[in-house]
Amino acid sequence: MRAVHFGAGNIGRGFIGLLLSQGGYEVCFVDVNEELVSELQSRGEYPVTLASEGGETTIVKGVTALNSATNSAAAAQAIAEADLVTTAVGVNILKHIAGTIAEGLKLRFQSGTAPLHVIACENAIGGSTQLKEAVYALLDEEARKQADQFVAFPDAAVDRIVPLQKHEDPLKVVVEPFYEWAVDRSQMFENFVPVEGVHYVDRLEPYIERKLFTVNTGHCSAAYMGFLKGFDTIQEAMNDQEVMEHVRSVLEETGALLINKHSFNESEHQQYIHTILERFKNPALTDEVTRVGRSPIRKLSPGDRLVSPALQAYERGLTYRSLAKSMAGALLFNVPEDPESVELQASIQKLGVLETAVKYTGIAADHPIMKEIMEQYNALKPLVK
């Protein structure tokens, strides 16, 4: 079986590519990083090491790669011949790979009608659906009809912490032991070949929101509070009692929402929260606060990890104070190397913090959540050095 995976970065190699290979697939990575592509082509394998006490290493074999920037025709042909297509490129990049996928589907339809699943493994709600829309926009009516019959874009939820890292071996990647990859079975063709290690579910939204509103919300909350207190890494921040208690409080708020909305078992979800907090503290991982907190504008957007659970909690009469504090922390996240941070701080200088917060969160100036954000912002501002 052959899989085409877009994104040869740390997540692609250390999570998706690893599981696909272990599931019996020959994996062809598609990327624009020529160094990674050349190394994968010449070696045909790479090491994945667990950030655990034992530090076990797995050699992922039977892989190759293509550069879609310099050889888009070959990438399209690979899609035409693939049994599965996956991505881990970042949700904002999906629109840039849609053209290659569309061309691959056109070639595929010329030679046959074998069913194909295209799964976007991104930190986003409905990532595969977004990719489908971008691909369909590049297909003519006849090709769309064929895609409706023979191509499925099941949404997925993925979870594995892979920090920024640099090794002498450019292909080596260190990942945490924990992982979860859930795929919406209801959006797939019958008789699909399951990938070992993937959890197939009939309703994906609860799993997506559980991951997004626990792992991602908690992670960025630790980053923003850790940044304000001068810590360099998430692990350092989580060893600070004040940061730890804030993150725990945030996850209690999102947990109450998730239990209320999706009827999760309360004790099981409390255990899930405990697991997440321990993952953040993993001493074998070194994850920079600036990496986890980067792109604050995206993280403050209406459908993302902070605003969405806060609004849903408000609508259900649940608390959101700690979520508002994390949003205030995002507004104070000032990292010159991060373009979104620069844009955010420039907007605050020009428009003021209230108008900026309204602009990026979509929350009205007179909304109770916005009033709480402003109160928390003023309380946290003295921490800025």
Side-chain angles (χ1 to χ4, degrees), residues 128-139:
S128 298
T129 298
Q130 293 181 48
L131 178 57
K132 178 180 179 179
E133 291 171 356
V135 171
Y136 269 48
L138 301 173
L139 299 175

Side-chain angles (χ1 to χ4, degrees), residues 50-114:
L50 292 185
S52 61
E53 194 172 316
E56 302 89 344
T57 295
T58 299
I59 303 299
V60 180
K61 298 179 178 291
V63 302
T64 188
L66 293 167
N67 189 325
S68 55
T70 59
N71 201 352
S72 59
Q77 186 61 44
I79 292 168
E81 299 170 358
D83 298 295
L84 177 66
V85 174
T86 56
T87 81
V89 295
V91 68
N92 294 333
I93 305 299
L94 291 176
K95 59 181 177 288
H96 298 299
I97 66 173
T100 302
I101 295 174
E103 290 305 312
L105 294 183
K106 292 174 188 176
L107 291 174
R108 190 181 185 89
F109 299 150
Q110 291 173 11
S111 57
T113 55

Side-chain angles (χ1 to χ4, degrees), residues 83-217:
D83 298 295
L84 177 66
V85 174
T86 56
T87 81
V89 295
V91 68
N92 294 333
I93 305 299
L94 291 176
K95 59 181 177 288
H96 298 299
I97 66 173
T100 302
I101 295 174
E103 290 305 312
L105 294 183
K106 292 174 188 176
L107 291 174
R108 190 181 185 89
F109 299 150
Q110 291 173 11
S111 57
T113 55
L116 178 68
H117 291 103
V118 180
I119 308 174
C121 306
E122 313 292 348
N123 271 331
I125 295 174
S128 298
T129 298
Q130 293 181 48
L131 178 57
K132 178 180 179 179
E133 291 171 356
V135 171
Y136 269 48
L138 301 173
L139 299 175
D140 60 27
E141 185 176 352
E142 181 59 32
R144 286 191 206 111
K145 288 179 181 178
Q146 289 179 295
D148 285 340
Q149 283 186 279
F150 303 113
V151 185
F153 290 79
D155 287 312
V158 290
D159 181 10
R160 189 169 218 174
I161 296 174
V162 183
L164 278 179
Q165 52 199 272
K166 194 167 183 63
H167 307 285
E168 188 175 336
D169 179 356
L171 294 186
K172 178 181 177 179
V173 58
V174 176
V175 299
E176 67 163 336
F178 179 95
Y179 71 84
E180 185 175 57
W181 182 1
V183 176
D184 191 336
R185 179 168 46 208
S186 69
Q187 297 176 309
M188 302 181 72
F189 295 114
E190 292 183 8
N191 303 319
F192 67 89
V193 178
V195 177
E196 186 177 350
V198 175
H199 184 37
Y200 297 93
V201 299
D202 294 318
R203 286 186 63 241
L204 189 66
E205 185 187 19
Y207 293 88
I208 288 181
E209 289 201 336
R210 186 186 67 163
K211 189 266 177 172
L212 186 63
F213 297 165
T214 312
V215 180
N216 297 102
T217 303

Side-chain angles (χ1 to χ4, degrees), residues 307-323:
V307 175
S308 179
L311 286 170
Q312 292 187 58
Y314 170 78
E315 290 165 0
R316 287 169 169 77
L318 302 171
T319 59
Y320 50 81
R321 188 170 189 272
S322 294
L323 282 162

Side-chain angles (χ1 to χ4, degrees), residues 34-51:
E34 184 54 38
E35 180 187 16
L36 290 177
V37 169
S38 295
E39 287 287 333
L40 288 164
Q41 286 176 338
S42 63
R43 288 163 54 179
E45 63 181 39
Y46 62 88
V48 177
T49 299
L50 292 185

